Amino acid sequence: MKKEAKKYVDGYKAFLTEAKTERRAYAAAVRLLEKAGFRELKGAKRLKAGDKVWRGYHGKTLFAAVIGREGTSAGVRVVGGHTDAPRLDLKPKPLYEKGDITFFDTHMYGGIKKYQWLVLPLALYGTVAKKDGTRVEVSIGDAPSDPVFMISDILPHFGKEQLDKKVKDAVAAEDMDVIAGLGKIEDLLKDKYGIEKDDLLSAELEIVPAGAPRDVGLDRALVAAYGHDDRVCAYAGLAALIDVAGAKGAPARTCAVVLCDKEEIGSVGASGMDSSFFENSIAELIDHEGGNARDIDVRRALEASQMLSADVCAASDPHFPDADSTGNESRLGKGPCMIKYTGPAAKSGANDARAEFIAALRRILDDAGVTWQMGELGRAEKGGGGTIAKFMARFGMDVIDFGTPLLNMHAPWELASAEDCWNTNRAYRAFFEASAAALKID
Ligand code: MN
Ligand code: MN
């Protein structure tokens, strides 16, 4: 692997190690932005070309931009990824005792294959909001001296009945409960963390796999990590924006990233992309640039924008050829994959990017020497999935899904090609840096 690629991937792995939840991804991203000279938009003075700002929402969804020479009303180049990942959330009243064991009762977040989450070291992260307005940040399971947590499974000697079930029924969602200890742990929570049992009513606590990313294979060509979906694309966009910010001179168009929450459960809620967060962020930029931010100005800017929906796709797995779209599957090591449309069959529910936009992207990616590929999400009628693309396409802008291929997506440990991670970053950077003429569509 090229030295430059290795350096990039090392930075990505460090980010992933920090960013085990959407809130932590937000905090880690803000730290990187601030280090690169970005300032919070709230309270900023009048913006001009080259200025670097960020704004956030609920500590979960983040928007950052470098103001372009033509101003934000001319339209924005956006790379949008999500930082939430499938996991198990603690219920509002999570603690219960059964037999000799104390458990955390959990509720699934995002699409998981339940059996994959059994008998693994797990970590507990999150925020407890107390009645007095203070917050307690919880992070247990990743420091070497920390304990971890685990969901137990039946031993094979007595597992015949379970083994005869359909895989999806082998463990019930309501049984995906995590061992919290033997005996009462309420006192421990109070003494060590200052958390009363009732404080758990106003908490967001997440169970995620414990452990840092690891290289995989003798050639170290792959990276195993929790949360590649979609921190691999979110980080690639963030790093590309930071590069643009550090380059000489302001970019032609305003360049922006959005690192959003709630994609895995349909982009709903205030911090999901079905909210007004993105429009509001564009309106804020125009307003801070000294424009009126009239409704029509914001609409025009949104309509003139272009977006890469930065989300992962399913890499072809030779052991599961039935999931492949024959000849159109995305392949590991061939770079980020452009997905013109998703939709389980007959393109239902898909954002179907227009050919002219793809042609413009081909032009800039090939000129920049980026390794990339074109594909479909998977075989028709076999399943499917969605991204944030359709929520952005609603504004009339050109959007296409374009992200890193993964093996075993949504598993506790997902696999990505290290070179693909790097080329994803290079692709987003080429998009940001392209001249207005290169991305002009007549
Ligand atoms: Mn995703
Ligand atoms: Mn996903």
Side-chain angles (χ1 to χ4, degrees), residues 13 48 57 65 77 80 82 137 151 208 213 261 320 332 372:
K13 287 192 285 194
K48 54 180 193 319
Y57 205 57
R77 303 242 175 98
H82 66 93
E137 299 301 329
I151 303 172
V208 299
D261 180 31
F320 300 95
L332 280 180
W372 67 280

Side-chain angles (χ1 to χ4, degrees), residues 82 84-86 229-230 263-264 311-312 386 409-410 414:
H82 66 93
D84 62 320
D229 179 6
D230 178 38
E263 193 277 342
E264 295 295 357
D311 207 344
V312 298
M409 191 196 294
H410 285 206
E414 300 172 316

Side-chain angles (χ1 to χ4, degrees), residues 86-88 108-118 120 151 167-171 176 317 320 408-412:
R87 61 179 191 252
L88 299 168
M108 293 189 291
Y109 177 96
I112 63 171
K113 290 165 89 174
K114 289 170 287 183
Y115 73 88
Q116 292 180 333
W117 290 69
L118 307 179
L120 281 176
I151 303 172
V167 175
K168 76 177 175 65
D169 300 324
V171 53
M176 296 288 286
D317 185 331
F320 300 95
N408 38 270
M409 191 196 294
H410 285 206

Side-chain angles (χ1 to χ4, degrees), residues 15 28 84 112 153 156 219 226 261 289 305 319 340 342 345 358 386 416 429 440:
F15 174 80
D84 62 320
I112 63 171
D153 195 7
D219 56 0
Y226 165 66
D261 180 31
E289 285 165 43
S305 292
H319 279 116
K340 187 179 188 296
T342 56
I358 298 172
R429 191 172 164 171
K440 190 166 183 297

Side-chain angles (χ1 to χ4, degrees), residues 90-402:
L90 296 202
K91 291 186 182 183
K93 290 178 271 184
L95 282 172
Y96 73 94
E97 286 165 41
K98 194 172 188 181
D100 301 314
I101 305 177
T102 305
F103 290 94
F104 288 131
D105 201 354
T106 71
H107 196 116
M108 293 189 291
Y109 177 96
I112 63 171
K113 290 165 89 174
K114 289 170 287 183
Y115 73 88
Q116 292 180 333
W117 290 69
L118 307 179
V119 290
L120 281 176
L122 299 166
L124 176 69
Y125 282 98
T127 300
V128 179
K130 298 174 63 114
K131 275 206 291 190
D132 63 5
T134 59
R135 276 183 290 214
V136 179
E137 299 301 329
V138 176
S139 131
I140 311 167
D142 274 321
S145 59
D146 279 356
V148 294
F149 305 91
M150 193 172 285
I151 303 172
S152 64
D153 195 7
I154 185 84
L155 62 169
H157 317 60
F158 296 99
K160 190 180 176 308
E161 212 174 290
Q162 182 203 46
L163 290 170
D164 286 340
K165 288 181 180 172
K166 283 187 174 168
V167 175
K168 76 177 175 65
D169 300 324
V171 53
E174 283 291 357
D175 293 337
M176 296 288 286
D177 292 345
V178 177
I179 296 173
L182 294 181
K184 294 209 182 299
I185 66 147
E186 278 167 38
D187 292 347
L188 262 174
L189 276 175
K190 194 178 166 190
D191 298 342
K192 194 145 187 242
Y193 296 95
I195 301 167
E196 306 272 356
K197 193 178 167 193
D198 278 357
D199 292 337
L200 296 174
L201 296 173
S202 49
E204 290 175 355
L205 293 165
E206 307 179 7
I207 295 284
V208 299
R214 299 290 299 269
D215 293 341
V216 174
L218 287 173
D219 56 0
R220 296 175 177 263
L222 297 160
V223 178
Y226 165 66
H228 276 313
D229 179 6
D230 178 38
R231 292 161 195 155
V232 66
C233 298
Y235 179 81
L238 181 74
L241 186 74
I242 288 173
D243 283 343
V244 167
K248 226 176 162 189
R253 289 287 162 94
T254 294
C255 294
V257 293
V258 53
L259 274 54
C260 68
D261 180 31
K262 295 289 182 281
E263 193 277 342
E264 295 295 357
I265 56 167
S267 297
V268 291
S271 57
M273 287 316 278
D274 198 21
S275 79
S276 304
F277 175 72
F278 187 76
E279 298 173 74
N280 292 351
S281 299
I282 298 302
E284 290 285 357
L285 287 189
I286 295 175
D287 186 53
H288 279 81
E289 285 165 43
N292 271 330
R294 293 178 305 167
D295 183 59
I296 189 66
D297 297 329
V298 176
R299 286 168 191 269
R300 282 175 185 150
L302 288 166
E303 212 172 72
S305 292
Q306 293 169 317
M307 181 187 185
L308 300 180
S309 165
D311 207 344
V312 298
C313 59
S316 170
D317 185 331
H319 279 116
F320 300 95
D322 282 356
D324 284 346
S325 161
T326 45
N328 283 279
E329 57 276 355
S330 56
R331 316 239 322 259
L332 280 180
K334 305 289 179 197
C337 187
M338 218 180 276
I339 308 275
K340 187 179 188 296
Y341 46 84
T342 56
K347 300 191 178 181
S348 64
N351 160 63
D352 197 348
R354 66 172 160 154
E356 291 86 345
F357 184 45
I358 298 172
L361 292 171
R362 284 177 57 207
R363 187 160 62 227
I364 61 160
L365 293 168
D366 292 345
D367 285 353
V370 175
T371 302
W372 67 280
Q373 56 184 322
M374 187 88 198
E376 286 195 325
L377 187 61
R379 195 182 191 89
E381 297 184 306
K382 275 282 173 187
T387 65
I388 64 168
K390 64 179 176 183
F391 300 101
M392 305 296 281
R394 183 176 63 185
F395 299 121
M397 68 176 80
D398 277 308
V399 186
I400 190 162
D401 285 303
F402 190 24

